[in-house]
Structure formats: structure tokens, C-alpha cells
Amino acid sequence: MSRVQLALNVADLEASIEFYTKLFQTPPAKIRDGYANFAIVDPPLKLVLFADAGEPGTLNHIGVEVESTDQVAAVIARTRELGFDQHVQENVSCCFAVQDKTWVKGPENDWEFYTVLAASPAMSCGTDDECCPAEV
């Protein structure tokens, strides 16, 4: 199942976790220092919270989580055919997960299309490339 990802900057991670747990009737799938994510079934949503990553209450980034590397590759091929600029990252450690992804450049916001390959102990990227931008 694919689902839209909405990543938000928050001031108080604990209060935000409590609020979104109640709002979506779903506990966080992952909590780390300054970070939490929710895998919400209804509506299908990956909600990601970043503490101290930007102005509280603002959008950190948007994306779409897909099930496989093949689906990421299909997005890469389709957006190349459309002539969209993008930044492809393979086997990158980001947001406490190893991922294959592409960042598709939009007029105002970049869209991250990604699949999770494995867990990772690190928040930041395993490459020199920016992975989870505070502002896109």
C-alpha cells in the first residue's frame, strides 16, 4: 500500500505524540530522540514529527511511501520522461531507516518518493547528500 507522507516540525515532541495518537487512534510506529513517526491506516498516512528541525507548526517535507524499490524506480522513470528534475538516493540512511528514494523537484516543494529497506540507528543521511531537509 502506498501512502502520503506528511512531515511536520514541532516544538514539543511529547505533546505532539500525545495529540496525534489520540487524533488518529494510532500509537507511533517509531520514537527516537527528536523524532517520531506514525503509520496510520485510516486515512493511509505516514505522519512524521521532527522536534527542533524548523519553525514549529511548519511543513518539513512531503512525500509518498511505497512498498518496493521497483516502485521507486517506476517513479524515477516516469518523472524523467516528464522532464522533472530529481535527486535519486539509493541505500541511504535517513530518518532512522535505510531507504531507496528520489526527491522530485516541484515548483514550491520537493516530493520524496521512498521505500524503507531496513532499520537504521541514525537520523541523518549516510551520504553527503541532504536527506531530510528542514525546508524544501
Side-chain angles (χ1 to χ4, degrees):
M1 171 184 82
S2 296
R3 60 182 157 204
V4 170
Q5 174 189 276
L6 177 62
L8 304 174
N9 296 318
V10 300
D12 185 332
L13 185 61
E14 288 183 30
S16 296
I17 289 170
E18 181 179 349
F19 173 80
Y20 289 111
T21 297
K22 290 177 182 177
L23 180 66
F24 291 110
Q25 299 176 330
T26 303
K30 186 184 297 184
I31 300 174
R32 301 290 187 270
D33 188 34
Y35 174 89
N37 80 42
F38 295 78
I40 300 164
V41 174
D42 187 21
L45 173 67
K46 180 69 162 264
L47 178 64
V48 180
L49 307 176
F50 292 101
D52 303 318
E55 184 66 31
T58 61
L59 179 67
N60 185 284
H61 66 276
I62 48 181
V64 177
E65 180 182 26
V66 297
E67 292 180 357
S68 71
T69 297
D70 288 343
Q71 289 174 304
V72 173
V75 170
I76 292 167
R78 184 173 58 83
T79 54
R80 277 190 181 140
E81 285 179 13
L82 293 169
F84 294 161
D85 290 333
Q86 63 186 309
H87 180 72
V88 177
Q89 295 177 308
E90 296 176 341
N91 204 38
V92 64
S93 179
C94 177
C95 301
F96 300 101
V98 178
Q99 305 170 359
D100 283 345
K101 66 172 73 186
T102 186
W103 291 92
V104 179
K105 307 289 183 193
E108 282 85 28
N109 299 95
D110 294 349
W111 280 80
E112 174 190 30
F113 289 82
Y114 70 99
T115 190
V116 174
L117 305 173
S120 172
M123 172 63 185
S124 62
C125 289
T127 70
D128 294 328
D129 298 326
E130 188 173 356
C131 170
C132 298
E135 296 179 33
V136 281

